[in-house]
């Protein structure tokens, strides 16, 4: 039907503009008012590589600001990516988790003053591992 083709064109546009999970794309199309059958047609014909969509999303998050591996996993899961898509993204994002922790520490220091203990707590809360936190603390210039 014409509406199904419109749903497909809309799906293609969303995928072209930015990365989306299958679940996220379904929600967008439903929000636009497409019926279940129109949405299904679009999803089945958009030819998206959901692993690559997850990877692009992960790379965008890393480019925009610092994230721990755990934090990035949570963001991708929240977006509706499946466990296997999240794993693919995490394994292929080429993130340096030590550097992510360091960037996060530097941001906290830039925003306001923190004790060493306070900074450690913030980084741990973000999901950085002990070794990543140690790397950040030892390299961020805090006394």
């Amino acid at each position: 039907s014409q509406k199904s083709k419109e749903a497909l064109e809309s799906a293609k546009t969303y995928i072209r503009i930015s990365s989306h999970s299958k679940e996220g794309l379904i929600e967008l199309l439903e929000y636009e008012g497409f019926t279940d059958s129109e949405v299904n047609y679009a999803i089945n014909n958009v030819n998206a590589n959901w692993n690559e969509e997850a990877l692009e999303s992960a790379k965008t998050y890393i480019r925009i600001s610092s994230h721990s591996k755990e934090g990035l996993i949570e963001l991708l899961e929240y977006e509706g990516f499946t466990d296997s898509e999240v794993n693919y993204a995490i394994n292929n994002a080429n993130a340096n988790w030590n550097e992510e922790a360091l960037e996060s520490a530097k941001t906290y220091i830039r925003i306001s003053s923190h004790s060493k203990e306070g900074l450690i707590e913030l980084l741990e809360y973000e999901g950085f591992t002990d070794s990543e936190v140690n790397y950040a603390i030892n390299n961020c210039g805090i006394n």
Side-chain angles (χ1 to χ4, degrees), residues 31-44:
Y31 181 78
E32 281 195 41
F34 292 109
T35 65
D36 287 348
S37 65
E38 292 160 353
V39 169
N40 286 337
Y41 176 82
I43 294 299
N44 290 333

Side-chain angles (χ1 to χ4, degrees), residues 67-74 90-91 97 126-128 132:
H67 296 280
S68 67
K69 182 177 178 180
E70 181 182 300
L72 190 56
I73 288 169
E74 287 176 11
I90 294 297
N91 292 332
W97 304 114
E126 279 194 48
F128 289 106
E132 292 159 359

Side-chain angles (χ1 to χ4, degrees), residues 10-74:
S10 191
K12 286 180 180 178
T13 300
Y14 282 124
I15 294 288
R16 193 170 51 247
I17 291 171
S18 71
S19 54
H20 295 280
S21 66
K22 183 177 179 180
E23 181 181 303
L25 191 56
I26 288 169
E27 288 175 9
L28 287 167
L29 294 172
E30 287 174 343
Y31 181 78
E32 281 195 41
F34 292 109
T35 65
D36 287 348
S37 65
E38 292 160 353
V39 169
N40 286 337
Y41 176 82
I43 294 299
N44 290 333
N45 292 284
V46 72
N47 296 325
N49 180 326
W50 304 114
N51 280 339
E52 289 299 319
E53 291 294 309
L55 178 57
E56 281 308 306
S57 190
K59 286 180 175 179
T60 299
Y61 280 123
I62 290 170
R63 194 169 51 246
I64 291 170
S65 70
S66 56
H67 296 280
S68 67
K69 182 177 178 180
E70 181 182 300
L72 190 56
I73 288 169
E74 287 176 11

Side-chain angles (χ1 to χ4, degrees), residues 66 101-114 118-126 128:
S66 56
L102 178 57
E103 283 307 307
S104 191
K106 287 179 177 178
T107 300
Y108 282 124
I109 292 168
R110 201 168 44 246
I111 292 169
S112 70
S113 58
H114 295 280
L119 190 56
I120 289 170
E121 284 180 22
L122 287 167
L123 295 172
E124 287 174 344
Y125 179 79
E126 279 194 48
F128 289 106

Side-chain angles (χ1 to χ4, degrees), residues 63-99:
R63 194 169 51 246
I64 291 170
S65 70
S66 56
H67 296 280
S68 67
K69 182 177 178 180
E70 181 182 300
L72 190 56
I73 288 169
E74 287 176 11
L75 286 167
L76 295 172
E77 287 174 344
Y78 180 79
E79 280 195 44
F81 289 105
T82 66
D83 289 345
S84 66
E85 292 159 359
V86 169
N87 287 335
Y88 177 86
I90 294 297
N91 292 332
N92 292 282
N94 298 323
N96 181 326
W97 304 114
N98 281 337
E99 290 300 319

